[in-house]
Amino acid sequence: MQLSKEDVLKRANLACKNTLMETLSIEVVDYGADFLVARMPVNNKVHQPDGVLHGGATAALAESVGSFASHIFIDTETYFVRGLEITANHLKSIKEGFVYAKATFLHKGRTTQLLDIRVTDQDDNLISICKLSTISLPKK
């Protein structure tokens, strides 16, 4: 059964209840055939002490959107997906507004996946570039 875009987004956001994603107010906002987008507000909950977006919050956003992408595009009836490694290069600071993370696959293998995650601000300025590797393991 093929789910509508609205159903996929609703299911993804319902899965965020009582998790780190809810704590950081991360919301899945768009997806297509080969990408997934989530956003996170930049406010005092995700600031460093000097008032800019914390790199750890950015990494949490990137891992969240990348993991969701793997869950959506991998057969999760048969497999479960776990993150293996994440890297983040922070290029620009931001104090307020929203950041958007767009995850696309660089490699979508049966066992391992590699995702490119671009984090941008509301004006599409590049804030961080992240890479996430995931693994699909058979459910027992």
Side-chain angles (χ1 to χ4, degrees), residues 1-9 11 31-35 71-75 77 108:
M1 173 176 110
Q2 184 71 12
L3 294 174
S4 70
K5 180 178 183 175
E6 292 77 23
D7 286 337
V8 170
L9 296 176
R11 285 183 178 198
Y31 100 104
D34 64 348
F35 71 90
H71 280 279
I72 289 172
F73 297 113
I74 303 297
D75 173 17
E77 294 293 319
K108 189 173 12 171

Side-chain angles (χ1 to χ4, degrees), residues 33-36 66-74 103-109 112-117 132 134:
D34 64 348
F35 71 90
L36 185 74
S67 293
F68 266 120
S70 288
H71 280 279
I72 289 172
F73 297 113
I74 303 297
T104 56
F105 283 93
L106 297 172
H107 171 72
K108 189 173 12 171
T112 61
Q113 301 79 42
L114 180 62
L115 296 107
D116 176 63
I117 302 154
L132 174 68
T134 59

Side-chain angles (χ1 to χ4, degrees), residues 76-101:
T76 54
E77 294 293 319
T78 309
Y79 297 93
F80 65 91
V81 177
R82 296 290 184 263
L84 289 175
E85 181 179 21
I86 187 162
T87 61
N89 294 98
H90 306 301
L91 308 170
K92 184 176 181 183
S93 62
I94 180 173
K95 293 182 179 220
E96 61 185 10
F98 283 91
V99 284
Y100 294 82

